[in-house]
Amino acid sequence: MEMTEMTGVSLKRGALVVEDNDSGVPAEETKKQKLSECSLTKGQVGLQNDFLSISEDVPGPPDTVSTGKGGKNSEAQLEDEEEEEEDGLSEECEEEESESFADMMKHGLTEADVGITKFVSSHQGFSGILKERYSDFVVHEIGKDGRISHLNDLSIPVDEEDPSEDIFTVLTAEEKQRLEELQLFKNKETSVAIEVIEDTKEKRTVIHQAIKSLFPGLETKTEDREGKKYIVAYHAAGKKALANPRKHSWPKSRGSYCHFVLYKENKDTMDAINVLSRYLRVKPNIFSYMGTKDKRAITVQEIAVLKITAQRLAHLNKCLMNFKLGNFSYQKNPLKLGELQGNHFTVVLRNITGTDDQVQQAMNSLREIGFINYYGMQRFGTTAVPTYQVGRAILQNSWTEVMDLILKPRSGAEKGYLVKCREEWAKTKDPAAALRKLPVKRCVEGQLLRGLSKYGMKNIVSAFGIIPRNNRLMYIHSYQSYVWNNMVSKRIEDYGLKPVPGDLVLKGATASYIEEDDVNNYSIHDVVMPLPGFDVIYPKHKVQEAYREMLTADNLDIDNMRHKIRDYSLSGAYRKIIIRPQNVSWEVVAYDDPKIPLFNTDVDNLEGKPPPVFASEGKYRALKMDFSLPPSTYATMAIREVLKMDTSIKNQTQLNTTWLR
């Protein structure tokens, strides 16, 4: 197979998976106006600033979402703190992120560090800017019915059961704050009384509806006090009511779940749900979705929420910047992770250097051959301690090393408060002291330190167990991905782009070997490779021995991938080695202003904005590409194949230090 040299690529800070704030945030007055429309309480105002800070669908287990306030330190409250965590960073923490990005990233990973070394196409690479603006990368989810999700309808389903719009304005900001504090058990009050100034049955009804709708878990009654009418709000079912909205207030004829399309900019799925749950005053676990979307992009996906009306959800469009909710419908069932068929990507590569002929060759190859289905750099972290190293230590049952890898000081891109926490840990090995250095404790480091405070340094397994299960499994999935990347590079190096006897293909869900006399019945697009585990088979050629050698070097037994702790036993899986995108199209456009958008988003179309008009000649050229991918594949790996570039942040930074001065 012909291999070509990797070319340099011009990428700004923030390219690919790095966050920056080039989003053109509305002016301060706009923010104040939106806050006023929502009548936010003091505790919520900080949320609005969180929008100043979504790549492809990030495969693997989702992060956890938490909400509420924290700040307590006793052991008895450790588990409560995990749920009741302050959302957002202090100003001090934000300021500490201003150190040189190039300096932070010089210790990061390159593609070669995680086994990403091969290309399948023979064209000459060229340079371009990927994600110069987060709006250059748009992801639309492909639902289980095969339809691409678009936000194109902001109307609310007509429902006579819905209360009037007055519920959003009948309560004052002070009354809302008192009710929220009551609802969240933040004070010693057992009830809140609201005087009915204009005492009519209609006015009382609206106040009752407003409290029950806006503050799940509260019930109301009318009382006479000294000749005046009061609506008294009180708790009906304790803390559980927040996670389980009242049954009797929801029409039986209506499906229990409101499905909607969520359009979001520069915000990942879990953070978005955190924000929605805060504004709606409900727990995040009543939301469901089919896949998690990355932060630095515009993404459009379907969300379902339990017993929240479309009317109430649509009201958030007046409150939230960089979010838009629409296409509402009531359904019987929630959404489940993994139900989606894939994602459709619209990507702009700006300031490309390739000739029209090079672009044509690259895109034809992407459409006809595809790209190596590597796990992308997002899978392995950005610092000098890759996630796969922690995963390897877990599989080795080396718990002291697990603790050390997660908590020790490290070089690389880290927020200042994490650096201080690690320094404190290295100096004192006191989990409580290190924890005090963290203003935001729902990170993995904070959760592990809480666990060590609770269970002690001699019970690291239980301390590590405080971290949510999906986050713990992320580490061992990262190790599996690391092995798979290295082995697929070995497979392509040894055998090229054709099936050979001993390769694996799937028949249904079962893997079987390609036999000598059957090899012509398959193409490279049928071939799969295993992620290591106790329930997979390995190729019957020299790549099998390469798997064994790699795991042996890591002190792991390929013949015994069961762990003493069941959660960490790897069953394994199969993954296609080459992916051919569907619905591939592209065009090269010329432009003069590097800041102008080069295509319309769903919101642009809703607002009736005309599509951009391009000149026949311009100062810059851009490649606009559209393609669809199945779940758990990385669009950055498809783009890597087009440009012949290293997608690691470290490599991009080294190539582009002039952009960072």
Side-chain angles (χ1 to χ4, degrees):
M1 177 183 62
E2 186 176 357
M3 302 296 293
T4 55
E5 296 263 333
M6 189 177 294
T7 61
V9 58
S10 175
L11 288 135
K12 282 192 175 182
R13 174 180 180 173
L16 281 167
V17 294
V18 187
E19 304 168 27
D20 68 7
N21 293 328
D22 63 356
S23 52
V25 177
E28 195 65 31
E29 285 306 310
T30 307
K31 283 190 277 182
K32 288 177 183 175
Q33 180 184 353
K34 283 182 174 281
L35 289 168
S36 174
E37 287 176 1
C38 266
S39 303
L40 297 179
T41 62
K42 181 180 178 183
Q44 292 171 295
V45 172
L47 281 172
Q48 203 66 24
N49 298 325
D50 196 33
F51 286 87
L52 313 185
S53 42
I54 254 190
S55 47
E56 54 224 88
D57 197 28
V58 179
D63 299 330
T64 55
V65 261
S66 58
T67 185
K69 289 217 175 192
K72 305 170 187 176
N73 286 318
S74 70
E75 281 188 21
Q77 294 161 329
L78 288 171
E79 291 181 9
D80 286 342
E81 284 183 3
E82 188 167 330
E83 288 189 356
E84 298 175 0
E85 186 61 57
E86 186 74 48
D87 187 33
L89 309 179
S90 68
E91 289 181 14
E92 177 188 0
C93 300
E94 294 284 1
E95 289 170 4
E96 293 185 34
E97 295 183 60
S98 60
E99 64 181 290
S100 164
F101 186 73
D103 288 343
M104 289 198 301
M105 284 317 306
K106 65 188 177 185
H107 302 285
L109 294 171
T110 65
E111 288 185 345
D113 294 331
V114 294
I116 302 173
T117 58
K118 304 296 181 186
F119 295 98
V120 298
S121 53
S122 58
H123 71 272
Q124 183 181 348
F126 53 91
S127 68
I129 304 176
L130 173 59
K131 289 196 181 180
E132 180 179 17
R133 301 165 63 82
Y134 68 77
S135 55
D136 286 347
F137 200 102
V138 177
V139 187
H140 287 89
E141 193 171 70
I142 304 173
K144 52 188 174 182
D145 58 0
R147 288 188 298 181
I148 297 175
S149 292
H150 281 280
L151 182 77
N152 51 27
D153 183 3
L154 299 183
S155 65
I156 301 169
V158 177
D159 193 330
E160 294 178 0
E161 301 276 0
D162 282 336
S164 71
E165 276 287 319
D166 293 345
I167 66 166
F168 297 109
T169 56
V170 70
L171 299 170
T172 67
E174 181 188 357
E175 289 167 345
K176 286 181 180 179
Q177 183 168 349
R178 289 178 63 206
L179 288 163
E180 182 185 18
E181 289 171 352
L182 174 67
Q183 181 207 30
L184 299 177
F185 298 92
K186 290 184 178 177
N187 55 28
K188 295 180 180 179
E189 283 187 284
T190 57
S191 64
V192 168
I194 295 170
E195 184 181 357
V196 185
I197 306 298
E198 304 165 18
D199 183 20
T200 64
K201 185 176 181 181
E202 291 75 17
K203 186 65 178 284
R204 293 198 303 271
T205 298
V206 170
I207 296 175
H208 283 294
Q209 288 177 334
I211 294 172
K212 291 179 181 181
S213 178
L214 298 177
F215 301 93
L218 297 184
E219 286 292 352
T220 57
K221 58 186 176 182
T222 303
E223 287 186 1
D224 282 307
R225 296 182 181 180
E226 299 177 354
K228 295 179 180 178
K229 281 273 198 309
Y230 288 86
I231 306 294
V232 179
Y234 60 95
H235 271 287
K239 290 188 177 182
K240 289 184 179 179
L242 278 176
N244 300 293
R246 293 177 314 278
K247 293 179 180 178
H248 68 261
S249 63
W250 193 264
K252 292 180 180 178
S253 59
R254 187 162 67 192
S256 294
Y257 295 87
C258 185
H259 287 223
F260 61 95
V261 169
L262 174 64
Y263 168 103
K264 53 188 171 17
E265 301 179 358
N266 209 28
K267 202 83 178 164
D268 71 33
T269 301
M270 273 66 64
D271 283 344
I273 285 176
N274 248 341
V275 172
L276 295 178
S277 65
R278 279 264 183 121
Y279 272 79
L280 294 167
R281 303 178 184 90
V282 295
K283 290 288 187 183
N285 61 2
I286 70 170
F287 291 86
S288 58
Y289 45 88
M290 295 182 287
T292 58
K293 300 291 181 286
D294 189 16
K295 174 169 182 168
R296 192 173 161 73
I298 290 173
T299 71
V300 181
Q301 69 181 117
E302 189 174 353
I303 305 284
V305 60
L306 177 65
K307 294 185 178 178
I308 300 290
T309 63
Q311 181 188 34
R312 196 168 157 206
L313 291 166
H315 187 70
L316 296 181
N317 287 331
K318 300 176 182 178
C319 313
L320 303 178
M321 293 185 293
N322 300 349
F323 277 32
K324 192 71 82 173
L325 288 66
N327 296 79
F328 302 103
S329 65
Y330 293 109
Q331 309 285 342
K332 292 181 179 178
N333 299 309
L335 297 168
K336 295 179 181 177
L337 275 172
E339 284 185 326
L340 76 168
Q341 285 195 16
N343 294 283
H344 185 79
F345 298 88
T346 303
V347 178
V348 166
L349 304 175
R350 290 181 183 251
N351 200 18
I352 59 167
T353 61
T355 64
D356 288 348
D357 197 42
Q358 284 175 310
V359 171
Q360 185 79 10
Q361 288 180 40
M363 294 307 298
N364 278 334
S365 176
L366 183 67
R367 181 169 60 188
E368 293 162 15
I369 301 174
F371 62 96
I372 304 172
N373 194 18
Y374 286 123
Y375 288 95
M377 298 303 294
Q378 302 98 306
R379 193 77 162 182
F380 306 104
T382 57
T383 66
V385 180
T387 50
Y388 73 80
Q389 289 185 6
V390 180
R392 179 167 56 202
I394 293 169
L395 295 172
Q396 292 168 342
N397 221 30
S398 303
W399 291 101
T400 301
E401 185 181 358
V402 170
M403 176 181 70
D404 190 44
L405 285 169
I406 293 175
L407 296 177
K408 71 179 182 181
R410 60 178 69 175
S411 304
E414 290 228 295
K415 294 180 174 70
Y417 60 84
L418 267 177
V419 174
K420 291 178 182 176
C421 169
R422 296 187 192 288
E423 289 171 349
E424 181 68 32
W425 172 255
K427 184 170 66 178
T428 66
K429 288 293 189 288
D430 180 346
L435 193 59
R436 284 194 288 271
K437 300 289 184 180
L438 286 178
V440 178
K441 297 178 175 61
R442 63 189 174 106
C443 56
V444 167
E445 292 82 0
Q447 290 161 334
L448 178 56
L449 288 167
R450 271 204 296 264
L452 291 169
S453 295
K454 182 173 183 177
Y455 294 107
M457 300 284 284
K458 293 184 178 179
N459 195 350
I460 300 171
V461 174
S462 294
F464 185 69
I466 272 189
I467 298 170
R469 182 174 183 272
N470 283 337
N471 288 26
R472 286 181 278 126
L473 296 185
M474 172 193 71
Y475 290 116
I476 58 175
H477 290 153
S478 176
Y479 178 74
Q480 284 181 301
S481 305
Y482 170 71
V483 172
W484 193 91
N485 278 1
N486 279 278
M487 291 299 99
V488 82
S489 291
K490 172 73 173 165
R491 159 64 182 77
I492 289 173
E493 181 178 323
D494 288 349
Y495 300 110
L497 291 181
K498 61 182 189 301
V500 297
D503 272 336
L504 294 169
V505 292
L506 289 179
K507 294 179 179 177
T510 306
S512 61
Y513 296 108
I514 297 179
E515 303 297 341
E516 185 86 47
D517 56 358
D518 211 20
V519 74
N520 292 330
N521 293 328
Y522 296 101
S523 78
I524 193 65
H525 299 100
D526 299 313
V527 178
V528 298
M529 294 267 285
L531 285 88
F534 61 78
D535 198 26
V536 294
I537 59 175
Y538 295 87
K540 271 187 185 173
H541 45 55
K542 54 186 177 183
V543 176
Q544 181 182 56
E545 192 52 40
Y547 271 97
R548 186 175 295 277
E549 289 173 2
M550 186 171 184
L551 268 67
T552 300
D554 287 340
N555 295 315
L556 296 172
D557 182 358
I558 196 171
D559 299 314
N560 182 19
M561 297 300 288
R562 293 187 187 274
H563 196 278
K564 292 178 181 178
I565 301 169
R566 187 176 178 182
D567 261 2
Y568 311 133
S569 288
L570 293 179
S571 60
Y574 299 98
R575 181 176 176 88
K576 286 193 172 184
I577 67 173
I578 303 291
I579 289 291
R580 187 162 44 194
Q582 302 298 305
N583 308 314
V584 178
S585 64
W586 68 91
E587 64 176 322
V588 175
V589 298
Y591 63 104
D592 290 313
D593 183 352
K595 295 181 180 179
I596 64 165
L598 299 182
F599 60 90
N600 272 8
T601 66
D602 285 0
V603 168
D604 291 335
N605 293 331
L606 272 171
E607 293 174 352
K609 289 185 181 177
V613 177
F614 302 109
S616 55
E617 291 187 13
K619 192 185 298 184
Y620 310 107
R621 292 161 68 247
L623 170 59
K624 176 178 173 285
M625 50 201 296
D626 279 86
F627 55 90
S628 299
L629 293 176
S632 297
T633 54
Y634 288 76
T636 45
M637 293 295 100
I639 295 160
R640 168 187 182 270
E641 188 69 44
V642 170
L643 293 178
K644 295 291 182 69
M645 59 174 261
D646 182 330
T647 60
S648 67
I649 303 170
K650 176 179 180 178
N651 186 67
Q652 295 162 27
T653 307
Q654 290 171 342
L655 288 169
N656 298 280
T657 51
T658 54
W659 285 103
L660 304 173
R661 290 173 185 162

